[in-house]
Amino acid sequence: MIPVRGYEGARVAVLGLGRSGLSAARAVRAGGAEPVCWDDNPAARAAAAGEGFACADLTGAGAFDGIAALIVSPGIPHLYPAPNPVVLAALEAGVPVDNDIGLFFRSLATPDWDGFVTAPRVVAVTGSNGKSTTSALIHHILQEAGRPAQLAGNIGRGVLDLEPPGEGAAVVLELSSYQTELARALTPDVAVFTNLSPDHLDRHAGLGGYFAAKRRLFAEGGPDRAVIGVDEIEGRFLAGQMAEGPADDRVIRVSSGQKLTGPGWQVFARKGFLAETRKGKQMASIDLRGISGLPGAHNHQNACAAYAACRALGLAPRVIEAALHSYPGLPHRSQVIAEAGGVTYVNDSKATNVDSAAKALGAFPRIRWICGGLEKEGGLDALKGTTGAVAKAYVIGREAAAFAMQLDVEAEVCTTMARAVERAMEEAEPGDTVLLAPAAASFDQYDNFEQRGEDFTAEVEKRLK
């Protein structure tokens, strides 16, 4: 655990008692402050009380008297589409609002660091798609290289549950826009921006607000190195803001699909090969085509971003290359779950928006596509023109018929995962990939995308026995 610093002897309110909220309450208490907790869910309050935390309704009059700060869990809106009443009460009382990410950055460094030969480093990864894979891949490379490393944030553990890092260690954080937007402290050593596509628009009042939340990691964080995907205009704009000039190698530009040139530091992938150039000279080249854990151009972009971050930490190209080949992939993200009769079965349940689904559709030559769910704002128009490899779609979800009507491929309304898997397997031919890439949220039928992916996996495995 990383004890929270700066609030010794004070009362700190904690709103939301899920994984990150309880973790924050424990760390606040460990740092010598008194947590005052609240959650609308009685079961969550009971769990907190079971750990000895005081719970108090933070919506009442005078609830913020004597409170030094309010710590908010990421799922709770603090601005758009409307602030939570507790957050609004804190703002009206002049109480600072923060989250566990802000607490982490303000509390990580200790006087012990003065005795380290090599201080710990923090790598923070944000973006629309590929955050989890890029973060996990950086963590994997560091471990394979013998560097002590921990992974947390929007993936794995809460940031305050980490052990204080020691000599030469690294912490890799996946950070969502919900987390970067509110954190009062953001000071990574290396910051990574993967890409940008429309998502969470209601929470950020549009694409501009969404990008602004991501941009805070760089503009306010002041990283020593910035790894920035430049395949969208927002990334090119961000790289331009961070760099002092074309040769400023504090910015490492990353691309998948285009060759990057110039006197700066670039890492890009074309036709399955990763290339690193610096000061106009090629420094390394890696063949990504045979790496089973990183299929498709979107994963090649993730590989470029992870490679660049690890190079910024001083790792040699050959060390990174060896680690790429041993990367097993993440569950629910282009995860090969079975191969039988010449058919490959891939679970990409994390493809919860149209952009991530489009990238998955470009990774395989002939696809039986299982899609559908709770449609996100913006519709499915962005999928048009990306479905050339789809032999047929099998649509799930409560609104499967309406979803299917928007697709530009042959589609069968299946509604349930069981029926979709059954029909896809019946019609699949050798060389086909049965791909779950929903292009939608899971909440109409499942608690989360993980549960949806597990259902897909179970249905495939049941029929292969």
Side-chain angles (χ1 to χ4, degrees):
M1 179 187 297
I2 296 174
V4 170
R5 302 178 187 281
Y7 293 114
E8 293 82 355
R11 299 173 71 231
V12 175
V14 178
L15 176 63
L17 298 172
R19 184 192 70 176
S20 67
L22 274 178
S23 171
R26 296 183 192 111
V28 164
R29 181 167 61 185
E34 177 190 350
V36 180
C37 301
W38 184 250
D39 193 299
D40 291 338
N41 185 344
R45 296 199 300 270
E51 293 193 32
F53 294 116
C55 292
D57 188 348
L58 296 172
T59 61
F64 282 93
D65 293 347
I67 296 293
L70 171 65
I71 309 306
V72 180
S73 293
I76 298 172
H78 53 269
L79 188 57
Y80 302 115
N84 180 280
V86 173
V87 176
L88 187 60
L91 296 174
E92 290 175 346
V95 172
V97 180
D98 204 347
N99 61 15
D100 62 333
I101 304 302
L103 296 180
F104 167 85
F105 278 111
R106 71 179 283 164
S107 306
L108 182 63
T110 68
D112 295 340
W113 286 31
D114 292 338
F116 292 153
V117 175
T118 303
R121 307 290 295 280
V122 177
V123 181
V125 181
T126 195
S128 295
N129 300 308
K131 297 187 301 296
S132 296
T133 295
T134 300
S135 301
L137 185 53
I138 294 169
H139 179 249
H140 172 78
I141 293 168
L142 290 168
Q143 288 192 313
E144 290 293 292
R147 286 276 292 269
Q150 299 179 81
L151 178 65
N154 203 43
I155 184 174
R157 294 193 286 174
V159 293
L160 294 170
D161 284 335
L162 294 172
E163 294 302 317
E167 174 76 39
V171 174
V172 184
L173 304 181
E174 179 197 337
L175 299 181
S176 71
S177 57
Y178 294 3
Q179 294 168 310
T180 57
E181 183 177 48
L182 188 59
R184 292 172 66 87
L186 286 168
T187 54
D189 299 285
V190 179
V192 180
F193 176 84
T194 58
N195 49 56
L196 195 85
S197 61
D199 208 356
H200 309 304
L201 300 188
D202 58 337
R203 177 68 178 260
H204 299 293
L207 186 61
Y210 178 51
F211 175 53
K214 303 285 189 186
R215 179 181 171 276
R216 287 191 75 243
L217 182 64
F218 299 81
E220 304 206 10
D224 296 334
R225 298 278 188 193
V227 176
I228 301 176
V230 295
D231 287 335
E232 295 87 26
I233 185 59
E234 292 86 357
R236 294 192 288 276
F237 175 80
L238 180 58
Q241 283 202 311
M242 297 299 294
E244 293 296 329
D248 186 351
D249 65 3
R250 293 175 301 173
V251 175
I252 308 176
R253 291 171 171 81
V254 167
S255 174
S256 175
Q258 60 175 316
K259 181 178 180 179
L260 300 179
T261 60
W265 197 349
Q266 290 94 207
V267 179
F268 59 90
R270 290 186 71 211
K271 300 180 180 179
F273 285 86
L274 178 153
E276 176 192 4
T277 63
R278 195 171 184 181
K279 297 180 180 179
K281 297 180 179 179
Q282 182 164 310
M283 308 297 291
S285 177
I286 299 174
D287 186 350
L288 301 173
R289 294 172 299 174
I291 300 177
S292 60
L294 296 166
H298 62 303
N299 274 310
H300 292 175
Q301 183 188 54
N302 299 334
C304 288
Y307 175 96
C310 290
R311 289 288 284 138
L313 292 174
L315 271 61
R318 58 180 178 78
V319 172
I320 300 173
E321 180 177 7
L324 291 176
H325 281 276
S326 63
Y327 177 65
L330 279 175
H332 315 297
R333 298 161 178 87
S334 296
Q335 177 192 15
V336 176
I337 60 170
E339 295 180 12
V343 178
T344 302
Y345 298 87
V346 177
N347 167 20
D348 202 351
S349 184
K350 185 62 169 66
T352 58
N353 59 44
V354 295
D355 186 68
S356 55
K359 287 180 168 62
L361 294 176
F364 307 98
R366 182 176 163 86
I367 297 169
R368 301 282 170 179
W369 179 28
I370 298 176
C371 58
L374 187 62
E375 189 176 329
K376 290 191 173 182
E377 185 178 346
L380 306 179
D381 286 347
L383 285 171
K384 292 178 179 177
T386 70
T387 56
V390 176
K392 184 176 177 181
Y394 307 82
V395 187
I396 64 173
R398 294 178 185 172
E399 304 297 330
F403 195 101
M405 289 179 63
Q406 299 181 65
L407 301 179
D408 59 353
V409 296
E410 179 186 355
E412 179 176 335
V413 175
C414 296
T415 307
T416 66
M417 183 69 75
R419 178 62 175 168
V421 171
E422 178 183 39
R423 292 292 296 133
M425 293 182 74
E426 285 176 352
E427 298 187 344
E429 303 172 357
D432 285 0
T433 296
V434 175
L435 170 68
L436 171 65
S442 59
F443 304 123
D444 60 333
Q445 292 181 308
Y446 301 96
D447 291 339
N448 48 55
F449 74 83
E450 292 96 341
Q451 190 182 82
R452 177 172 59 190
E454 289 162 2
D455 190 21
F456 170 73
T457 301
E459 291 295 334
V460 170
E461 290 177 345
K462 179 171 66 176
R463 287 169 173 78
L464 289 179
K465 287 183 179 178

